Amino acid sequence: LESLTIPDTFTRIGASAFQDCKVLKELILPDGINLIGVSAFKGCASLENMVLPQWATTIDNSLFEGCKSIKTIKFNGRVRVVGDKAFKDCKALTELLLPENVESVGSDALKNCDNLTVKCVERSVVAKYCEAEEIKHEFVSPSEVVEEETQDLTLFIIIILVFVAIIAGVIVLRIYLKKRKIKMTTLQKDESEK
């Protein structure tokens, strides 16, 4: 099994659910997932990319440990906790953007991520962790950290506005046609009386 899409009806991924699925390259999670258990993707050596659901607030212990092929992991700015060994041994991971509101980073969370540069806000918990653990990092502005989330929200708002505009257009058209029908009916009555 190289690719898997989790159905929208799922709300949780259990602990160790995909642990050691060594050939799994792609896993698509629905946004309705609100809990991902400890070590859920641990040892998925072929997994290349991951987009965590929008409601994710915790990157649990050993979640991606040993995912040596993973290149990108995207998540929203709501993440508050990065667990112990969360990204340990993610050797192909080159960049990780961690939000300013992360309140704790567990032990060995970024251990053996040799090619990784962590992007974080200066003086944040993540920045202090990287400095203490001598992990390569660079500072970004808080707005850069939430830029993707803002882009998703902007797209959602645009879709809603287009939908509202279409509904408003339909309502205006119905009112116009109704008035025109009444006017035409009145004109027909006036002509038939003559």
Side-chain angles (χ1 to χ4, degrees), residues 87 90-97 109-110 113-119 135-137:
F87 302 105
C90 292
K91 305 240 180 238
L93 191 60
T94 57
E95 183 179 288
L96 194 59
L97 189 61
L110 302 168
C113 296
D114 304 328
N115 298 308
L116 178 65
T117 299
V118 175
K119 292 191 172 190
I135 294 167
K136 184 177 174 186
H137 62 286

Side-chain angles (χ1 to χ4, degrees), residues 37-107:
V38 173
S39 303
F41 313 116
K42 181 179 179 179
C44 292
S46 300
L47 191 62
E48 296 175 351
N49 303 299
M50 177 61 74
V51 178
L52 292 178
Q54 64 180 348
W55 303 112
T57 57
T58 300
I59 299 173
D60 222 326
N61 296 343
S62 300
L63 190 63
F64 295 103
E65 182 181 353
C67 294
K68 62 184 180 183
S69 299
I70 200 156
K71 296 175 186 142
T72 59
I73 302 170
K74 292 187 178 183
F75 45 87
N76 64 57
R78 293 183 184 99
V79 171
R80 299 238 185 275
V81 177
V82 177
D84 296 342
K85 301 178 186 175
F87 302 105
K88 184 181 177 200
D89 297 322
C90 292
K91 305 240 180 238
L93 191 60
T94 57
E95 183 179 288
L96 194 59
L97 189 61
L98 290 171
E100 182 179 22
N101 53 320
V102 169
E103 297 166 355
S104 70
V105 180
S107 65

Side-chain angles (χ1 to χ4, degrees), residues 14-31:
S16 305
F18 297 96
Q19 186 170 346
D20 294 324
C21 290
K22 301 217 181 282
V23 295
L24 185 64
K25 289 184 178 181
E26 179 182 44
L27 181 63
I28 300 169
L29 302 175
D31 270 338

Side-chain angles (χ1 to χ4, degrees), residues 2-194:
E2 288 187 5
S3 180
L4 180 64
T5 300
I6 304 295
D8 290 338
T9 54
F10 281 69
T11 58
R12 295 172 182 224
I13 303 290
S16 305
F18 297 96
Q19 186 170 346
D20 294 324
C21 290
K22 301 217 181 282
V23 295
L24 185 64
K25 289 184 178 181
E26 179 182 44
L27 181 63
I28 300 169
L29 302 175
D31 270 338
I33 298 285
N34 55 33
L35 177 77
I36 301 175
V38 173
S39 303
F41 313 116
K42 181 179 179 179
C44 292
S46 300
L47 191 62
E48 296 175 351
N49 303 299
M50 177 61 74
V51 178
L52 292 178
Q54 64 180 348
W55 303 112
T57 57
T58 300
I59 299 173
D60 222 326
N61 296 343
S62 300
L63 190 63
F64 295 103
E65 182 181 353
C67 294
K68 62 184 180 183
S69 299
I70 200 156
K71 296 175 186 142
T72 59
I73 302 170
K74 292 187 178 183
F75 45 87
N76 64 57
R78 293 183 184 99
V79 171
R80 299 238 185 275
V81 177
V82 177
D84 296 342
K85 301 178 186 175
F87 302 105
K88 184 181 177 200
D89 297 322
C90 292
K91 305 240 180 238
L93 191 60
T94 57
E95 183 179 288
L96 194 59
L97 189 61
L98 290 171
E100 182 179 22
N101 53 320
V102 169
E103 297 166 355
S104 70
V105 180
S107 65
D108 295 333
L110 302 168
K111 188 173 184 175
N112 299 330
C113 296
D114 304 328
N115 298 308
L116 178 65
T117 299
V118 175
K119 292 191 172 190
C120 56
V121 175
E122 192 172 8
R123 292 188 292 276
S124 66
V125 168
V126 174
K128 291 173 186 172
Y129 176 85
C130 289
E131 288 164 7
E133 297 295 322
E134 299 180 1
I135 294 167
K136 184 177 174 186
H137 62 286
E138 60 184 53
F139 299 128
V140 295
S141 69
S143 61
E144 287 178 74
V145 176
V146 294
E147 184 177 315
E148 276 188 37
E149 185 177 341
T150 304
Q151 287 174 350
D152 291 345
L153 182 60
T154 302
L155 179 61
F156 178 72
I157 290 170
I158 289 170
I159 290 168
I160 294 295
L161 289 174
V162 167
F163 182 70
V164 168
I166 290 170
I167 290 173
V170 168
I171 291 170
V172 168
L173 182 61
R174 290 184 84 190
I175 292 170
Y176 170 77
L177 291 174
K178 190 173 183 178
K179 284 183 178 181
R180 186 162 177 146
K181 184 177 178 183
I182 292 170
K183 194 174 189 180
M184 293 296 281
T185 306
T186 305
L187 284 174
Q188 287 174 349
K189 281 183 181 178
D190 287 346
E191 283 185 22
S192 65
E193 290 175 1
K194 288 183 183 181

